């Protein structure tokens, strides 16, 4: 098992803490200070107390966000600054600085909107079965049935989709696509429960993770694996997690995270399913 190195002691902080100042600075910090702030924030994120909080709140996205916000606010105040944006603007202000670019949550961030937006014609992509056989996204579409897709790194809410599969499989197709790990323990750890595997570097490793998950949790929904070129993610913008609906050749639903919580509203999918049943005059199973 490969873990990210984290010193047992925090980096030296040569700037006065907020407790030593009556007024916090409204200005943006210079580059040398930003570098130290990022090192300190990284130390805190990887520290055992914060990792334990990630474990404890692993099912509560809002709580995780609050923990991260508190860490960043502590960091900026520790360096004598008032606003958390003094840290969050580091990448936009110094996009080419090697120290800032190497922060693990910047270096390994794969967030993108992809190439296909809600309302546009869906695109086919190459995928693989958990047994390594090549296949395609469109091969999963059955005529006259919508295709509901969950793209994920196999942990946070898949149990909810198992229930959806049992309820709706006769009427619509449901599919899981295993994509690149969002919180691999060797890249972007978020507690031992979520960050339980390293980032796969081969298709074989990715397939093994998918197969092990399916067997361990008795996961019923059909599962495919994204290519090592991350073709599905590049096309549909799936990392770290997203759900979709393709119907009649179009991407009719592409989930978007909340602006403040960065969490997805699973009721959005339920509303779409309910409207689909009503439109088709089908009695919904409960």
């Amino acid at each position: 098992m490969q873990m990210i190195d984290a010193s047992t002691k925090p980096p030296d902080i040569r700037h006065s803490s907020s407790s030593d100042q009556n007024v916090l600075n409204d200005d943006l910090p210079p580059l040398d200070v930003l570098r130290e702030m990022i090192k300190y924030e990284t130390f805190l994120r990887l520290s055992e107390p914060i990792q334990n909080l990630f474990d404890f709140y692993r099912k509560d996205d809002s709580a995780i966000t609050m923990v991260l916000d508190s860490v960043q606010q502590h960091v900026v105040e520790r360096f004598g600054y008032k606003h958390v944006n003094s840290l969050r603007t580091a990448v936009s202000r110094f996009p080419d600085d090697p120290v800032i670019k190497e922060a693990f949550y910047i270096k390994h961030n794969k967030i993108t909107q992809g190439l296909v937006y809600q309302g546009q014609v869906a695109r086919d992509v190459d995928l693989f079965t958990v047994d390594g056989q090549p296949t395609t996204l469109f091969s999963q579409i059955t005529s006259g049935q919508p295709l509901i897709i969950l793209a994920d790194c196999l942990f946070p809410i898949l149990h909810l989709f198992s229930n959806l599969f049992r309820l709706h499989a006769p009427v619509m197709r449901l599919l899981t696509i295993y994509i690149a790990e969002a919180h691999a323990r060797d890249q972007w750890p978020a507690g031992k429960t979520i960050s339980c595997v390293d980032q796969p570097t081969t298709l074989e490793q990715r397939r093994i993770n998918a197969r092990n998950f399916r067997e361990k949790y008795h996961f019923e929904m059909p599962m495919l694996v994204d290519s090592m070129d991350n073709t599905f993610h590049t096309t549909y913008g799936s990392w770290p997690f997203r759900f979709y609906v393709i119907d009649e050749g179009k991407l009719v639903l592409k989930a978007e995270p909340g602006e403040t919580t960065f969490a997805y509203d699973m009721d959005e999918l339920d509303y779409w399913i309910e409207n689909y049943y009503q439109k088709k005059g089908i009695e919904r199973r409960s």
Side-chain angles (χ1 to χ4, degrees), residues 164-180:
L164 284 174
F165 177 72
R166 288 190 290 269
L167 286 174
H168 307 300
V171 178
M172 53 193 70
R173 292 275 294 168
L174 291 98
L175 173 69
T176 298
I177 300 176
Y178 175 39
I179 60 174

Side-chain angles (χ1 to χ4, degrees), residues 31 34-35 38 42 90-92 94-109:
L31 177 58
L34 266 177
R35 288 171 172 171
I38 284 180
T42 297
V91 178
S92 61
F94 304 104
D96 298 321
D97 183 74
V99 174
I100 292 175
K101 288 168 63 177
E102 283 298 308
F104 68 91
Y105 56 90
I106 296 172
K107 180 179 180 180
H108 301 298
N109 193 322

Side-chain angles (χ1 to χ4, degrees), residues 15-224:
H15 303 270
S16 299
S17 68
S18 59
S19 60
D20 296 329
Q21 300 184 13
N22 293 324
V23 179
L24 295 174
N25 198 330
D26 280 325
D27 297 334
L28 294 175
L31 177 58
D32 61 327
V33 176
L34 266 177
R35 288 171 172 171
E36 296 302 317
M37 291 170 72
I38 284 180
K39 290 177 182 177
Y40 183 46
E41 183 197 8
T42 297
F43 168 82
L44 293 178
R45 282 178 179 248
L46 298 179
S47 66
E48 185 174 356
I50 298 301
Q51 291 292 308
N52 287 341
L53 284 175
F54 289 155
D55 264 334
F56 185 80
Y57 291 114
R58 63 185 180 275
K59 296 182 180 180
D60 189 337
D61 290 337
S62 296
I64 293 291
T65 300
M66 184 174 65
V67 170
L68 293 174
D69 288 347
S70 298
V71 167
Q72 291 190 326
Q73 188 63 45
H74 165 75
V75 170
V76 299
E77 291 183 6
R78 182 67 179 82
F79 281 80
Y81 292 85
K82 180 183 296 185
H83 300 297
V84 72
N85 279 343
S86 62
L87 176 62
R88 292 177 178 173
T89 56
V91 178
S92 61
R93 293 179 61 212
F94 304 104
D96 298 321
D97 183 74
V99 174
I100 292 175
K101 288 168 63 177
E102 283 298 308
F104 68 91
Y105 56 90
I106 296 172
K107 180 179 180 180
H108 301 298
N109 193 322
K110 301 178 181 65
I111 289 178
T112 176
Q113 275 293 334
L115 304 175
V116 183
Y117 290 77
Q118 183 169 309
Q120 294 183 335
V121 175
R123 297 191 189 185
D124 200 10
V125 296
D126 293 329
L127 298 165
F128 293 88
T129 69
V130 295
D131 297 319
Q133 298 302 311
T135 186
T136 66
L137 177 64
F138 283 3
S139 71
Q140 306 301 306
I141 296 176
T142 300
S143 178
Q145 290 187 327
L147 175 64
I148 297 176
I149 306 167
L150 166 67
D152 198 9
C153 53
L154 295 186
F155 188 78
I157 63 165
L158 289 185
H159 62 287
L160 298 178
F161 273 74
S162 289
N163 187 48
L164 284 174
F165 177 72
R166 288 190 290 269
L167 286 174
H168 307 300
V171 178
M172 53 193 70
R173 292 275 294 168
L174 291 98
L175 173 69
T176 298
I177 300 176
Y178 175 39
I179 60 174
E181 286 289 331
H183 291 288
R185 63 189 170 195
D186 61 332
Q187 290 185 349
W188 192 338
K192 295 179 180 178
T193 304
I194 292 176
S195 303
C196 58
V197 296
D198 293 341
Q199 188 68 263
T201 58
T202 67
L203 181 62
E204 176 68 12
Q205 291 173 348
R206 192 172 277 184
R207 292 196 302 104
I208 290 173
N209 285 352
R211 187 167 60 244
N212 289 346
F213 176 90
R214 188 177 63 179
E215 294 173 356
K216 180 178 179 179
Y217 294 100
H218 307 290
F219 191 64
E220 303 171 50
M221 206 161 86
M223 181 181 292
L224 297 178

Side-chain angles (χ1 to χ4, degrees), residues 225-241:
V225 177
D226 200 4
S227 71
M228 294 310 295
D229 292 329
N230 300 314
T231 310
F232 181 84
H233 165 59
T234 301
T235 305
Y236 287 94
S238 54
W239 189 94
F241 157 77

